[in-house]
Amino acid sequence: MKLNICHLYPDLLDLYGDRGNILALASRCRWRGIEPIIRQASLGEDLDFMGMDILFLGGGSDREQGLLVQDLMRRERELRNAIENGLVVLGICGGYQMLGKFYQMVGGEKIQGLGILDVWTIAGARRLIGNVVVELNEQVLGVNSKFKTLVGFENHSGKTYLGEGVIPLGKVLFGNGNNGDDHQEGVRYRNVFGTYLHGPLLPKNPHFADLLLELAILRRGTDTRLMKLDDRLEELAHEVMVKRLLKQA
Ligand code: GLN
């Protein structure tokens, strides 16, 4: 089996090791005999969202978000159709914000978003920086998930708020998450996941990487049971961070 994974705007959206998410997905495919076809695409390139299995958008600064918004907006209809068809999307920080309705910068100026997610973002006066632990929402957890938490690193001034029809990825146990006020982190809508967690997210949270792979394979209509991998090191690293941040013995 082959899985088409697209890293969109790798030249503009790729902060704090975001590219590691693509490496993690590709490795977890290969270790199971699935062939990952990785495509990097940027401004002006032709894309077939419907034919993709996983679309990845990393984080970027306000400047980069402004540079790509026009190119992204012209893809809105095709991307929306693919998402309604079950395309798996992971958007981190700036990429997450661009999937929402708008991002209002510190000066009040707004960068338009795709509006595919019922979320909006308003820059606050204080940057939200540091490690994060999230308790995953039951509706987001994968069936075989051993871990119920996500660990990662955030660095954003945007404060994101969720509307109706979307659910948060989980509850913040340490750090700020979406906005530092409502203790929510990230979003899920269909197979679209938005989050503030860099770090990169997927090597630190292999259960979450596998959830994305499972959903992508399910959309293909094939057997979704993923071969179990030896994740002892990844799980240990995950556990160490959870215990350290939550000050557990
Ligand atoms: N520009 C956005 C913010 O600061 C996104 C930052 C990021 O992607 N790390 O909120």
Side-chain angles (χ1 to χ4, degrees):
M1 191 192 344
K2 294 180 186 187
L3 278 189
N4 292 312
I5 301 170
C6 177
H7 186 176
L8 188 55
Y9 310 124
D11 49 343
L12 296 168
L13 297 182
D14 182 17
L15 288 178
Y16 319 118
D18 284 341
R19 199 173 64 89
N21 293 309
I22 300 287
L23 299 177
L25 287 172
S27 296
R28 298 184 76 77
C29 282
R30 281 193 203 102
W31 292 333
R32 295 171 162 125
I34 300 168
E35 188 187 338
I37 315 283
I38 311 293
R39 162 139 194 231
Q40 298 200 321
S42 195
L43 303 175
E45 289 184 46
D46 284 338
L47 289 171
D48 168 23
F49 290 115
M50 205 56 99
M52 286 177 196
D53 294 297
I54 300 179
L55 172 68
F56 176 72
L57 290 154
S61 68
D62 297 6
R63 178 179 166 274
E64 274 102 32
Q65 287 170 260
L67 289 175
L68 62 84
V69 63
Q70 235 187 331
D71 186 86
L72 187 64
M73 289 311 294
R74 76 181 173 83
R75 306 180 188 278
E76 187 263 337
R77 235 191 42 203
E78 283 179 35
L79 179 54
R80 189 184 287 272
N81 287 343
I83 284 171
E84 292 306 317
N85 183 260
L87 173 66
V88 176
V89 180
L90 176 62
I92 312 273
C93 202
Y96 167 27
Q97 295 170 355
M98 297 308 289
L99 289 162
K101 292 178 168 167
F102 63 83
Y103 169 49
Q104 183 178 308
M105 293 183 283
V106 181
E109 204 185 324
K110 279 185 185 169
I111 298 179
Q112 192 183 0
L114 287 162
I116 293 174
L117 297 177
D118 186 10
V119 308
W120 59 94
T121 306
I122 298 172
R126 182 173 68 94
R127 279 198 86 75
L128 307 175
I129 307 176
N131 288 309
V132 185
V133 181
V134 176
E135 182 182 66
L136 276 167
N137 190 335
E138 298 256 315
Q139 287 158 274
V140 172
L141 276 174
V143 254
N144 303 315
S145 193
K146 178 173 169 192
F147 285 101
K148 297 191 173 7
T149 43
L150 288 180
V151 293
F153 165 79
E154 63 182 340
N155 185 354
H156 52 111
S157 59
K159 298 173 85 172
T160 297
Y161 298 91
L162 272 49
E164 310 274 315
V166 293
I167 56 169
L169 282 190
K171 191 172 102 188
V172 177
L173 300 181
F174 187 92
N176 294 284
N178 279 342
N179 50 52
D181 300 325
D182 62 16
H183 308 290
Q184 293 186 345
E185 160 50 29
V187 71
R188 176 171 184 179
Y189 167 71
R190 292 190 172 265
N191 290 339
V192 182
F193 298 87
T195 176
Y196 274 108
L197 302 188
H198 295 275
L201 173 73
L202 300 182
K204 288 186 167 182
N205 301 281
H207 52 304
F208 194 62
D210 281 356
L211 174 65
L212 302 186
L213 292 174
E214 267 168 17
L215 291 169
I217 295 169
L218 186 66
R219 174 165 171 250
R220 286 276 193 105
T222 22
D223 190 344
T224 56
R225 273 165 305 174
L226 288 175
M227 194 180 98
K228 200 156 166 25
L229 298 175
D230 179 1
D231 282 331
R232 276 174 295 177
L233 272 181
E234 289 85 345
E235 290 177 359
L236 208 54
H238 184 102
E239 268 167 3
V240 164
M241 280 312 285
V242 171
K243 282 186 181 159
R244 185 183 298 165
L245 297 172
L246 302 186
K247 303 208 174 357
Q248 292 168 346

